[in-house]
């Protein structure tokens, strides 16, 4: 529906199997956004933040004219802030041209840095034409304490919509509606 309204929709998915690099869903979103831009447009969105964005998405280093560096460690708060600010700048500038919808799927499996970036963007992007939708399974056993804390903070910044499971009759009705037969 968003696409029919002229909104660019980007998906980032957290990996539940473990071993994923930090910021995986954000790297997916930014890489897909960049694929839809020529180099000059991408550089104009990023501005002077090229080295920080190249740390987040090394595949873009050549297009940005930057050297990909290591993702800042959790101990380096200033470097992490610069990385977050670079991502926010890119998204804000792209959204100034065309509204964006970012869908982050399976946040219950997100790494702590991805959740921190989400919290940063939830606070920083309020005046932008960016809608961020995050999905997660609300099962306490699946959520890390980091996820519980950050998702709680984000819930205060935005809107929380709880969706319950479908009962047997609802599943039957859904299958019938989608397939056209009982």
């Amino acid at each position: 529906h968003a696409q029919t309204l002229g909104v660019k929709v980007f998906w980032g998915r957290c990996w539940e199997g473990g071993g994923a690099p930090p910021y995986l869903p954000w790297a997916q979103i930014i890489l897909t956004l960049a694929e839809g831009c020529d180099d000059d447009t991408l550089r104009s969105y990023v501005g002077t933040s090229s080295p920080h964005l190249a740390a987040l998405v090394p595949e873009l280093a050549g297009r940005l004219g930057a050297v990909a560096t290591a993702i800042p460690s959790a101990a380096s708060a200033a470097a992490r802030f610069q990385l977050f600010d670079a991502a926010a700048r890119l998204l804000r500038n792209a959204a100034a041209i065309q509204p964006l919808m970012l869908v982050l799927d399976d946040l219950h499996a997100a790494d702590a840095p991805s959740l921190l970036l989400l919290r940063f963007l939830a606070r920083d992007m309020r005046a932008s034409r960016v809608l961020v939708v995050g999905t997660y399974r609300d099962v306490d056993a699946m959520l890390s304490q980091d996820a519980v804390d950050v998702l709680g903070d984000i819930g205060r910044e935005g809107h929380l919509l709880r969706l319950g499971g479908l009962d047997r009759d609802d599943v039957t009705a859904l299958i019938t509606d989608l397939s056209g037969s009982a």
Side-chain angles (χ1 to χ4, degrees):
H1 180 70
Q3 287 175 324
T4 63
L5 296 174
V7 176
K8 296 275 284 185
V9 179
F10 300 98
W11 286 76
R13 291 176 177 85
C14 301
W15 175 247
E16 296 184 63
Y23 303 107
L24 176 65
W26 293 108
Q28 292 169 342
I29 287 171
I30 291 169
L31 190 57
T32 305
L33 187 153
E35 288 170 353
C37 301
D38 61 51
D39 291 353
D40 290 336
T41 301
L42 180 61
R43 284 192 292 271
S44 74
Y45 288 166
V46 176
T48 59
S49 300
S50 294
H52 307 294
L53 201 64
L56 181 61
V57 187
E59 297 90 340
L60 297 180
R63 293 186 61 194
L64 294 171
V67 176
T69 59
I71 291 176
S73 72
S76 177
R80 187 177 58 223
F81 177 84
Q82 291 173 327
L83 184 141
F84 289 3
D85 188 57
R89 178 180 311 207
L90 167 71
L91 295 171
R92 238 188 339 269
N93 289 338
I97 305 302
Q98 183 175 12
L100 305 178
M101 179 176 171
L102 314 177
V103 182
L104 296 159
D105 205 11
D106 294 327
L107 284 173
H108 55 273
D111 58 289
S114 290
L115 292 170
L116 291 173
L117 178 52
L118 177 58
R119 179 172 34 192
F120 180 89
L121 293 173
R123 292 179 179 161
D124 189 68
M125 306 288 286
R126 297 199 100 190
S128 300
R129 299 185 322 160
V130 177
L131 171 66
V132 179
V133 176
T135 69
Y136 64 95
R137 288 183 230 142
D138 192 10
V139 179
D140 289 335
M142 296 183 79
L143 293 173
S144 68
Q145 189 57 50
D146 285 338
V148 170
D149 295 343
V150 171
L151 293 171
D153 287 348
I154 293 166
R156 288 185 285 281
E157 296 290 334
H159 302 283
L160 180 63
L161 176 62
R162 292 191 188 277
L163 302 176
L166 301 175
D167 64 23
R168 186 177 190 87
D169 291 338
D170 291 333
V171 171
T172 300
L174 178 63
I175 291 171
T176 300
D177 287 347
L178 293 174
S179 70
S181 64

